[in-house]
Amino acid sequence: MSWHGRELIIQLPKEHSESIAVLKACKENKVNGVIVNQHSLKLVKDSGITAYSESDLADVHIVNDVQGVKTAKAAGQTSVMVLQIESKADIEEAVAAARAGAIALIVDTSDWRIIPLENLIAELRGTGTKIYTKISTVKEIPTMFGVLERGVDGVVLAARVPAEIKRAKDKLVSLASLDIVIAKVEDVREVGMGDRACVDTGSILRLGEGMLVGSAANFLFLVHNESVGSEFTSPRPFRVNAGGIHSYILLPNGRTKYLSELECGSPILIANWKGQTDTAVVGRIKIERRPLKLVKARSGKQSGAVLVQDAETIRFVTKSGHPLAVTQLKKGDEIMVRAGKGAARHFGIEVDEFILEK
């Protein structure tokens, strides 16, 4: 399974007993492939998962140099090349492998992690050859898929326990696209004073990007960042004035939190009007008492509401990706929301029980 173009390949442990448990988790979590030694090759092939191995019987033949790519191609075999990126010469070898017919490169880097991958991604752009990079922990996944904004095509994780595979899959799911839909505004009105949360991140957000917040977990509004300045305010592209402290906010792992629960270091989900997502980290939460405005909207049979500060710098996102200030928002306007299934939430986790939020 590919999570919107992002692939997960697992390297099996050498110990047979460990590899059986890990392979079972690979199948349950629908990983893209498994790197395996010759002794466990039949086990992997019987499971139906794509087997990567140095054996000629593998689904994908692993080679270590350009000549190996050429030999595999002559024999009608699909091949990937494994290489260490430490110098410009290694980049040149990677390009040669791509031109020779390697469908992918499995790369490892030295202490310099990002710059070599940036160079490799730039060099291989347009060749059709995929780039898989080795990682040591699940925490590296968002970084690897964010290199040069395009990111690598997949990651290779040497997993020793099944739980690592589930964590890796959950991380990939969190980076996948969301269903962001158009909703029609039904009501906009002042509701008095209240406490709102301003979320300052450690990232520069772009036009059309924001956070998903709302009073109901199954109907979240895309609230735009403050990258657009005005005559009276400077741009603050790291900030989203997200709304009332009671509001749900969607996190990278698919769970929700109340805005009041966020703090410095909390991971946060960033989304745009197309549903493309990214992650950021909270640098600061500012909770202050401000005049609030109620916004209600509907998409199909679903409707929801959100409380936001009544100010020109608080903006929603239109279907063209442009910001629309709440001070200009009116009944009939169209804005972007995430309207999901009506699942209940228990400590931010979806649970299968009836709940009505309004």
Side-chain angles (χ1 to χ4, degrees), residues 26 59 94 178 197 238 241 264 276:
C26 288
D59 299 309
L178 299 172
F238 55 84
N241 191 329
C264 182
Q276 298 166 332

Side-chain angles (χ1 to χ4, degrees), residues 155-186:
V155 292
V156 177
L157 176 66
R160 298 195 65 85
V161 294
E164 286 184 282
I165 299 165
K166 178 67 165 60
R167 287 196 294 270
K169 188 204 78 169
D170 288 346
K171 184 65 71 174
L172 285 168
V173 169
S174 75
L175 298 174
S177 296
L178 299 172
D179 289 327
I180 303 296
V181 298
I182 298 172
K184 185 166 289 188
V185 175
E186 293 187 328

Side-chain angles (χ1 to χ4, degrees), residues 50-53 55-56 58-63 68-69 72-81 101-104:
T50 301
Y52 292 72
S53 175
S55 169
D56 292 339
D59 299 309
V60 180
H61 190 54
I62 295 177
V63 300
V69 175
K73 185 176 181 180
Q77 296 174 326
T78 301
S79 69
V80 299
M81 190 174 89
I103 65 164

